[in-house]
Amino acid sequence: MAATLNIRCLNDGQTYTYTEGTSLQEMSRQIAPALTGHPVAAKVNNSLRGLANRLFSNSDVEFVDITSPFGMRTYMRTLTFILGKAVNNLYPKLSFSVDAPVSNGYYINLRGDDGTASVDAIRAEMGRIISLDLPFCKVVCPTAEAIAVFEAQGMTSKVKNIRKYLLAAQIGRALCRERV
């Protein structure tokens, strides 16, 4: 039998009772009248989490919407993933990157475009993907497997960043050992 949790919602100051394993999405639907906007994420014990996350201990929860900086970053990151999926669906040979923010937007760079890529087609495909209301699923795998997947998909910048991070981590561990 699942344990009972006491979850304090910081949005309305109320404490709610849920069964262990309840998702933040389920919670947000149940307490929607107490929320001022549409939640895109939640801070659980002050740590930002996606709404698919499940709770397994008593917690303080604050739902965030796009009016908060945390919520807006989550929303923009979500749109970036949807943009990537739309570009890949329509133009599998193209690659794209999201570069430094410009004014109140982002600079998107499509590489390999011969002029046939259509912003309108990408926008329509993003709308189609959004209408499916699919959940985001985090995939955790060994680093070597992730590198192989990204290499097979031609995502060389991701491979480069992973290898750079691994090298930095190895150097950091070596420096720590030398100081001991």
Side-chain angles (χ1 to χ4, degrees):
M1 185 168 145
T4 300
L5 303 177
N6 290 315
I7 307 299
R8 184 171 54 146
C9 177
L10 300 180
N11 302 82
D12 66 2
Q14 300 293 316
T15 299
Y16 297 88
T17 303
Y18 293 98
T19 56
E20 185 179 47
T22 299
S23 74
L24 292 166
Q25 181 73 47
E26 293 170 74
M27 289 177 53
S28 72
R29 286 185 187 127
Q30 291 175 359
I31 64 168
L35 303 175
T36 56
H38 180 76
V40 294
K43 292 194 312 190
V44 178
N45 297 328
N46 216 24
S47 181
L48 195 63
R49 299 283 180 245
L51 296 177
N53 280 274
R54 298 183 178 281
L55 297 178
F56 295 96
S57 62
N58 296 332
S59 303
D60 288 338
V61 174
E62 179 183 4
F63 291 97
V64 296
D65 61 23
I66 62 170
T67 62
S68 86
F70 295 109
M72 182 52 84
R73 278 196 301 272
T74 300
Y75 178 73
M76 293 304 294
R77 182 80 172 143
T78 299
L79 285 178
T80 301
F81 283 120
I82 294 169
L83 171 63
K85 178 66 175 153
V87 168
N88 188 265
N89 287 355
L90 297 172
Y91 311 104
K93 293 188 185 209
L94 291 186
S95 63
F96 86 101
S97 63
V98 179
D99 294 330
V102 178
S103 189
N104 286 323
Y106 289 86
Y107 182 80
I108 308 296
N109 187 7
L110 285 176
R111 288 182 299 284
D113 181 23
D114 60 2
T116 60
S118 163
V119 171
D120 291 334
I122 293 170
R123 182 181 294 121
E125 180 64 5
M126 288 178 71
R128 187 190 72 77
I129 293 167
I130 291 166
S131 72
L132 296 174
D133 198 24
L134 300 170
F136 280 77
C137 300
K138 182 177 181 177
V139 176
V140 178
C141 64
T143 304
E145 186 180 325
I147 288 173
V149 168
F150 291 141
E151 282 178 334
Q153 294 178 352
M155 297 179 168
T156 54
S157 62
K158 284 190 181 194
V159 172
K160 184 178 173 183
N161 284 336
I162 291 171
R163 288 189 171 134
K164 187 168 124 181
Y165 172 79
L166 290 174
L167 179 61
Q170 290 169 351
I171 291 169
R173 283 194 298 273
L175 289 174
C176 287
R177 280 194 296 271
E178 289 177 10
R179 291 184 183 140
V180 174

